[in-house]
């Protein structure tokens, strides 16, 4: 799809609606502009044939549909004149009014028809066949449409996204505009996703004072919510007040008063934790305290191991043709004796062997066991390693709809627990506090839990430092595997991963085996080399096809970030061809054959199994697939056999994945990994990032970049401090 230069503002009458998504208002329509038909696409909820629109936007040429205007602002004007009013009503835009009724209304009320519909619907009973009940229904429908029009006008006037109109109406109904005017700060947050600065500017424009308690409280809540993205479960009171003071340019004294008001209303929780005056959002406070309480209960539960445990383990060894090392045997024995345990260790230390042993032991004990991991790729790998089915934690818990809150929730909880006797979770370092709380809530009182992971990898994207906190508390029974087995030790990937983890720089000149370093000191050289490795050298020389190579970068931006790498790799591996479907979204052109990643959890997206009868709901952050086809407005993606169709309004959930950040690669394993190591911020060019990148590779790991950059990463063991109270809560005396 290409940009098309033309006047970016048009006015005309909607002649027809080609497509309209009622959930989010995304619309494709035909606009009659002085007798010329034009296609307009974008968020235009509730727009109907006959309406007069003034649209500003960007012209593009669609491969299938030709030139179209992508709407950025839309002004709606009520139909004027008898002809326009009739066309509007006859289109079916107002429920309960068709062509015949539209004609009768025009004959009776003339150009006052729309005024009657909005202000005096009871007069509609003058029309034969319209009962008082039907008159009220027609009037209600029309007023709803007028409310949507006024809401869109307000959003346009204040340069806010039109996409907000539908969720606002869904949340607040007919009074959405009034509610928004009264509290513009409701736009801040996950549901609406508006930047605080935008909501704040709107509030000030609506007459909210700079020191108004509403503004101060909104600022405090924003800082708390914003810092969840930095991994914190709480903020120290002093830091919260200081940060909010800078944000709002107000004194700390005023903010202290607002914080106390929030605490009185239960909108924040304040508690001293590990010597800190901690301020929590209630949901995080409840999740953290629940995890600590439940974990302590499980640790105190004494289980009787099965009779003849030693003989049972010996039998498992014979069946699996293996002899456990002392630490591995200890792990299997501990699983028989404890309701909850942690299993940790770096690459090559035999975690998978232990997992298989624990699973075999649970089977021998007659326990129904569920295997789970935080991401789809990690779950798939876990299932393959253990030769049984594994799922994501989200899919294990299943999703449902809460009619009271209007939000998606997990189906399995304390009232409907998981129908299993044991749960084994791999890659636990990626699990955040809310997700662990949800999992623990869904376990039966006697259910066993085995948590497996590597605390030296990057922590979870979400709040908390859960796995590390559990280990460091020394409350939960733990087996740490430290012995690197001979076969694994022969791998330079394994050896160098452990060297990096201990702060030692690998020998970058020793390019043998499965670990290589290619020196490049400028961005273009790094990108060109990576492209050549993916397109030619690895497929031709080592027989590793491009779709089994994953390019990683510490950063999204800069010359060797994922953005630049994705553009270069797409051009090399999946160039445009006549007949190959394309769809522009933002700065990216999606193309059939592209590798893409789902970048947010979407619990209600539908998928179907390729070639089968199974279907389900939910795709999750980190799931990687390939674009199967682009047919008109629909992009079809294959996620390892799960087929998902994306409409244009859903494309913000997809990103190109020829190259991904190291953080996004957590929990995944690839046949070959190439890491761009040249530049990036100090928090990204770190030892943990390098260690995590190396441990993603199964057969081959290549660094392309500057040896000084690699040395800096090894030396940089800085970790952003995460404010979390879990470790302290676990260690508390009862």
């Amino acid at each position: 799809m290409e940009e098309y230069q033309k006047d970016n503002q048009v006015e005309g009458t909607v002649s027809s609606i080609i497509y309209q998504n009622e959930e989010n208002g995304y619309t494709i329509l035909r606009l009659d502009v002085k007798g010329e038909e034009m296609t307009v696409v974008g968020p235009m909820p509730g727009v109907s044939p006959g309406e007069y629109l003034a649209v500003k936007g960007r012209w593009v040429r669609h491969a299938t549909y030709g030139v179209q205007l992508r709407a950025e602002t839309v002004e709606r004007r009520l139909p004027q004149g008898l002809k326009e009013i009739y066309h509007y009503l006859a289109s079916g835009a107002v429920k309960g009014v068709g062509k015949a009724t539209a004609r009768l209304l025009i004959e009776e009320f003339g150009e006052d028809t729309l005024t009657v519909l909005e202000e005096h619907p009871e007069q509609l009973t003058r029309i034969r066949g319209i009962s008082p009940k039907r008159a009220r229904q027609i009037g209600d429908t029309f007023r709803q449409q007028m409310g949507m029009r006024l809401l869109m006008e307000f959003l346009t006037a204040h340069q806010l996204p039109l996409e907000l109109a539908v969720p606002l109406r869904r949340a607040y109904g007919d009074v959405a505009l009034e509610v928004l005017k009264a509290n513009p700060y409701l736009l801040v947050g996950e549901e609406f996703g508006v930047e605080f600065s935008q909501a704040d500017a709107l509030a000030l424009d609506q007459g909210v004072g700079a020191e108004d308690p509403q503004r101060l409280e909104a600022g405090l809540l924003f800082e708390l919510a914003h810092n969840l993205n930095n991994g914190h479960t709480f903020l120290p009171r002093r830091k919260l007040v200081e940060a909010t003071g800078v944000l709002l340019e107000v004194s700390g004294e005023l903010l202290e008063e607002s914080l106390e008001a929030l605490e009185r209303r239960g909108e924040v929780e304040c508690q001293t934790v590990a010597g800190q005056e901690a301020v929590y959002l209630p949901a995080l406070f409840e999740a953290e305290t629940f995890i600590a309480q439940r974990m302590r209960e499980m640790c105190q539960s004494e289980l009787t191991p099965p009779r003849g445990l030693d003989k049972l383990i010996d039998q498992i060894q014979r069946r699996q043709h293996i002899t456990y090392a002392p630490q591995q045997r200890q792990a299997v024995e501990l699983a028989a004796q404890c309701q909850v345990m942690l299993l940790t260790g770096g690459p090559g230390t035999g975690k998978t062997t232990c997992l298989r042993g624990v699973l075999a032991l649970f089977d021998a004990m007659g326990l129904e066991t569920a295997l789970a991991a935080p991401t789809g790729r990690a779950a798939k790998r876990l299932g393959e390693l253990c030769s049984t089915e594994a799922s994501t934690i989200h899919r294990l818990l299943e999703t449902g709809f809460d009619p009271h809150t209007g939000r998606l929730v997990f189906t399995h909880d304390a009232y409907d627990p998981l129908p299993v006797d044991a749960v084994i979770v791999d890659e636990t370092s990626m699990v955040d506090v809310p997700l662990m709380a949800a999992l623990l809530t869904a376990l039966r009182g006697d259910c066993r839990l085995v948590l497996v992971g590597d605390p030296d990898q990057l922590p979870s994207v979400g709040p908390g430092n859960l796995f590390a906190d559990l280990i460091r508390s020394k409350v939960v029974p733990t087996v740490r595997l430290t012995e690197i087995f001979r076969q694994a030790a022969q791998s330079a990937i394994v050896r160098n991963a452990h060297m990096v983890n201990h702060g030692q720089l690998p020998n970058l000149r020793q390019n043998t085996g499965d670990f290589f370093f290619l020196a490049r000191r400028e961005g273009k050289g790094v990108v060109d080399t990576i492209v050549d490795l993916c397109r030619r050298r690895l497929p031709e020389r080592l027989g590793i096809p491009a779709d089994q190579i994953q390019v990683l970068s510490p950063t999204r931006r800069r010359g060797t970030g994922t953005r630049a790498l994705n553009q270069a790799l797409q051009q090399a591996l999946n160039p445009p061809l006549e007949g190959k479907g394309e769809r522009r979204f933002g700065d990216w052109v999606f193309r059939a054959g592209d590798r893409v990643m789902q970048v947010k959890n979407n619990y209600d997206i539908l998928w179907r199994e390729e070639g089968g009868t199974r279907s389900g709901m939910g795709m999750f952050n980190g799931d990687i697939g390939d674009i199967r086809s682009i047919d008109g407005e629909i992009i079809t993606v294959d996620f390892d056999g799960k087929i998902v169709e994306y409409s244009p309004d859903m494309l913000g959930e997809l990103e190109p994945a020829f190259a991904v950040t190291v953080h996004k690669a957590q929990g995944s394993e690839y046949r070959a990994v190439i890491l761009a190591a040249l530049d990036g911020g100090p928090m990204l060019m770190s030892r943990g990032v390098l260690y995590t990148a190396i441990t993603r590779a199964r057969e081959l790991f290549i660094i392309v970049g500057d040896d000084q950059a690699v040395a800096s990463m090894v030396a940089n063991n800085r970790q952003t401090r995460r404010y979390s109270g879990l470790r302290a809560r676990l260690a508390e005396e009862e």
Side-chain angles (χ1 to χ4, degrees), residues 429-440:
S429 63
M430 297 179 63
V431 179
D432 61 24
V433 163
L435 186 57
M436 179 54 69
L439 176 61
L440 290 173

Side-chain angles (χ1 to χ4, degrees), residues 183-231:
N183 181 16
Y185 297 105
L186 64 82
L187 294 173
V188 182
E190 190 176 341
E191 188 174 2
F192 302 112
V194 172
E195 295 287 336
F196 182 85
S197 58
Q198 284 185 282
D200 193 40
L202 175 59
L204 294 170
D205 192 55
Q206 293 296 300
V208 174
E211 297 182 353
D212 190 299
Q214 182 188 50
R215 182 171 186 256
L216 304 184
E217 291 173 10
L220 288 162
L221 291 173
F222 165 73
E223 282 293 344
L224 279 175
H226 175 70
N227 275 281
L228 299 183
N229 300 324
N230 296 325

Side-chain angles (χ1 to χ4, degrees), residues 282-329:
L284 266 294
F285 176 79
E286 291 169 9
E288 192 177 271
T289 52
F290 172 72
I291 291 171
Q293 175 197 341
R294 186 81 171 91
M295 280 289 178
R296 282 202 304 267
E297 290 172 356
M298 294 173 80
C299 291
Q300 292 163 5
S301 177
E302 295 183 4
L303 301 180
T304 305
R307 293 179 61 184
L309 177 60
D310 283 340
K311 288 184 179 179
L312 193 54
I313 294 175
D314 290 342
Q315 290 172 3
I316 292 170
Q317 288 184 117
R318 285 194 295 273
R319 281 202 305 271
Q320 296 185 346
H321 306 289
I322 194 168
T323 300
Y324 296 135
Q327 290 177 335
Q328 293 177 318
R329 189 170 185 114

Side-chain angles (χ1 to χ4, degrees), residues 4-16:
Y4 186 79
Q5 298 302 316
K6 195 174 179 180
D7 290 342
N8 65 353
Q9 180 172 345
V10 296
E11 297 183 14
T13 303
V14 179
S15 55
S16 62

Side-chain angles (χ1 to χ4, degrees), residues 86 99-110 127-128:
Y86 171 76
K99 291 181 180 179
T101 305
R103 187 173 293 107
L104 293 171
L105 289 170
I106 296 291
E107 289 173 357
E108 179 69 29
F109 302 110
I127 306 296
R128 190 174 63 185

Side-chain angles (χ1 to χ4, degrees), residues 685-704:
M685 301 296 285
S686 69
R687 185 186 303 174
V689 169
L690 180 57
Y691 175 75
T692 301
I694 296 171
T695 55
R696 301 307 91 204
R698 188 170 66 249
E699 294 181 20
L700 179 67
F701 183 76
I702 302 173
I703 301 175
V704 182

Side-chain angles (χ1 to χ4, degrees), residues 374-375 378 427-432 457-462 663 666-668:
T375 67
E427 298 286 355
T428 309
S429 63
M430 297 179 63
V431 179
D432 61 24
Q457 290 186 24
L458 297 171
S460 61
V461 175
H663 284 80
Q666 283 180 267
S668 298

Side-chain angles (χ1 to χ4, degrees), residues 319-365:
R319 281 202 305 271
Q320 296 185 346
H321 306 289
I322 194 168
T323 300
Y324 296 135
Q327 290 177 335
Q328 293 177 318
R329 189 170 185 114
Q330 181 194 358
V332 179
E333 290 173 349
L334 198 63
Q337 300 166 4
C338 300
Q339 189 178 0
V340 60
M341 66 165 289
L342 311 177
L343 176 63
T344 179
T349 56
K351 291 196 300 292
T352 300
T353 299
C354 290
L355 270 178
R356 290 177 180 144
V358 171
L359 185 60
L361 176 65
F362 286 171
D363 286 344
M365 293 169 63

